[in-house]
Amino acid sequence: MASHRRPKQPSRTRVSVLTATAAAAVALTSQGAAQAAPKPSKDEVKSKVDALYEDAGRATDKYNGAKEKQEKLEKQIGDLQDKVARGQEELNDLRGGLGSMASAQYRSGGIDPSLQLFLSSDPDNYLDKASALDQLSSKQVESLKKIQEKQRDLAQQRKEAAGKLDDLADTRKELGRKKQEVQGKLGEAQKLLNTLTAKEKQALAAKEQKRASRAADNRADLGKEAPASNRGAAALAAAATQLGKPYVSGGSGPNSYDCSGLTQWAYAQADVSITRTTYTQQNDGTKIGRSELKPGDLVFFNNLAHVGFYAGNGQVLHAPKPGAVVRYESMAYLGTFQFGVRVA
């Protein structure tokens, strides 16, 4: 017969040993993880944050491009819908006129059989029957042709509007994705900044303040270079009135700006229309090298991630990055220079 003795309970000493062993294992694991991923230094955090801001700038530019496309599509769709509405009114008037002719014929002795045929069917099919044309008056033929042409125009305009509505739906989806990408990059940067101690944050803020102060000092050292053009000079002067305004992703003035928002706004004050993004602004004028730069030219950096105004003496007036304001800054601090663009 099987024994039914209760299993022996582990002693308190054994439990304590097991607990201590488990705790030690957890501590060693944690220590190993800490050793595998040491806390990044202040400079490493800054470098990663700057890279994320650059990525966010690129994503912002694509967001701005999608937004610009959306606005253009909405205008085009509105214009097409207005044309369709006006065209439908004209078509109704033409049909009404032809109906009046039919009524007059009826009162004077009956409707022309060919006209009666038209009023009960599609004029396209009817006009294809050339043998019936001789039964119509020249005025009726002209009216039928106008109706046929107007119907074709309306069909084409409706088709075009439908296509643009589909494009608009796709663009709105893209806009949402790009907005999420920008917010994700900025959120990631903020998480990294949050890993810093208060002392490290103060050190970074002091460094940024020193850089901003140095940029302000550079305002008096722009040299006396001749501007690229009168309009370039006017755009640069307009941008200078925005010094101190904050950088905001997607900002296009007058209260905040991103880099391409500032350049577009400033050129608009000089009665020059340029596009919204760095990717398109590079095509808004003639590309030039560094040695050819003059005040008022656009300057591009870091694979089109950034744009600003060349202000003279190696200085750039721009909207730098999140947390900064519109300011002057040496080209030496802005990364890899690509090219300048002289706007006509």
Side-chain angles (χ1 to χ4, degrees), residues 73-147:
L73 282 170
E74 286 172 343
K75 185 178 185 307
Q76 289 169 353
I77 289 167
D79 291 344
L80 277 170
Q81 288 173 337
D82 286 344
K83 283 175 72 175
V84 167
R86 288 194 301 270
Q88 187 62 57
E89 287 179 5
E90 291 171 10
L91 180 60
N92 292 342
D93 289 343
L94 287 169
R95 283 174 168 163
L98 200 57
S100 297
M101 279 190 271
S103 297
Q105 283 187 351
Y106 179 76
R107 287 193 298 272
S108 63
I111 301 177
D112 188 307
S114 57
L115 185 58
Q116 187 175 21
L117 175 63
F118 160 71
L119 291 173
S120 62
S121 64
D122 187 344
D124 281 350
N125 294 332
Y126 178 74
L127 284 176
D128 288 339
K129 300 175 182 178
S131 60
L133 285 175
D134 59 355
Q135 300 177 37
L136 297 171
S137 71
S138 60
K139 190 173 181 180
Q140 289 168 341
V141 169
E142 188 61 31
S143 294
L144 284 172
K145 285 181 178 178
K146 283 182 180 179
I147 288 172

Side-chain angles (χ1 to χ4, degrees), residues 55 103 221 233 248 311:
D55 288 345
S103 297
D221 192 23
V248 172

Side-chain angles (χ1 to χ4, degrees), residues 31-315:
Q31 185 179 3
Q35 288 174 349
K39 182 178 178 293
S41 69
K42 171 173 64 68
D43 289 339
E44 287 173 333
V45 167
K46 183 182 182 307
S47 179
K48 289 179 180 178
V49 166
D50 286 345
L52 284 166
Y53 281 159
E54 195 171 302
D55 288 345
R58 290 192 183 95
T60 296
D61 234 21
K62 290 174 182 175
Y63 167 84
N64 290 336
K67 189 175 180 182
E68 186 177 46
K69 182 180 178 182
Q70 174 184 275
E71 289 167 356
K72 285 181 179 177
L73 282 170
E74 286 172 343
K75 185 178 185 307
Q76 289 169 353
I77 289 167
D79 291 344
L80 277 170
Q81 288 173 337
D82 286 344
K83 283 175 72 175
V84 167
R86 288 194 301 270
Q88 187 62 57
E89 287 179 5
E90 291 171 10
L91 180 60
N92 292 342
D93 289 343
L94 287 169
R95 283 174 168 163
L98 200 57
S100 297
M101 279 190 271
S103 297
Q105 283 187 351
Y106 179 76
R107 287 193 298 272
S108 63
I111 301 177
D112 188 307
S114 57
L115 185 58
Q116 187 175 21
L117 175 63
F118 160 71
L119 291 173
S120 62
S121 64
D122 187 344
D124 281 350
N125 294 332
Y126 178 74
L127 284 176
D128 288 339
K129 300 175 182 178
S131 60
L133 285 175
D134 59 355
Q135 300 177 37
L136 297 171
S137 71
S138 60
K139 190 173 181 180
Q140 289 168 341
V141 169
E142 188 61 31
S143 294
L144 284 172
K145 285 181 178 178
K146 283 182 180 179
I147 288 172
Q148 184 186 42
E149 184 178 345
K150 184 58 66 178
Q151 285 179 321
R152 280 198 296 262
D153 287 347
L154 282 174
Q156 179 60 34
Q157 288 165 3
R158 286 190 175 108
K159 183 179 179 181
E160 189 178 348
K164 287 188 182 297
L165 283 168
D166 288 341
D167 286 347
L168 181 59
D170 292 340
T171 300
R172 283 175 173 162
K173 288 178 185 176
E174 183 185 0
L175 200 60
R177 288 194 298 269
K178 292 304 175 188
K179 187 174 183 178
Q180 285 183 334
E181 186 178 348
V182 173
Q183 291 173 336
K185 296 291 183 184
L186 294 178
E188 207 175 330
Q190 189 57 54
K191 283 181 182 177
L192 273 174
L193 290 172
N194 289 341
T195 65
L196 298 176
T197 64
K199 186 177 180 180
E200 287 172 328
K201 287 178 182 177
Q202 286 175 354
L204 276 183
K207 191 173 182 180
E208 176 64 23
Q209 183 59 43
K210 185 177 179 181
R211 188 168 170 177
S213 298
R214 185 169 59 240
D217 293 340
N218 285 334
R219 276 182 283 181
D221 192 23
L222 299 177
K224 295 181 180 180
E225 298 174 42
S229 65
N230 289 336
R231 286 181 171 180
L236 178 59
T241 67
Q242 303 305 293
L243 286 166
K245 296 285 182 74
Y247 178 104
V248 172
S249 293
S252 57
N255 298 317
S256 62
Y257 299 91
D258 58 26
C259 64
S260 56
L262 175 66
T263 50
Q264 185 191 47
W265 178 89
Y267 260 108
Q269 309 317 301
D271 294 324
V272 179
S273 177
I274 64 173
T275 51
R276 178 63 180 89
T277 73
T278 58
Y279 295 98
T280 51
Q281 286 181 7
Q282 67 164 322
N283 298 315
D284 287 339
T286 304
K287 288 185 173 65
I288 54 177
R290 185 164 185 160
S291 64
E292 301 171 272
L293 292 174
K294 292 183 179 180
D297 288 332
L298 299 179
V299 279
F300 294 82
F301 299 86
N302 305 325
N303 296 317
L304 296 176
H306 192 63
V307 64
F309 280 103
Y310 181 70
N313 198 28
Q315 304 300 314

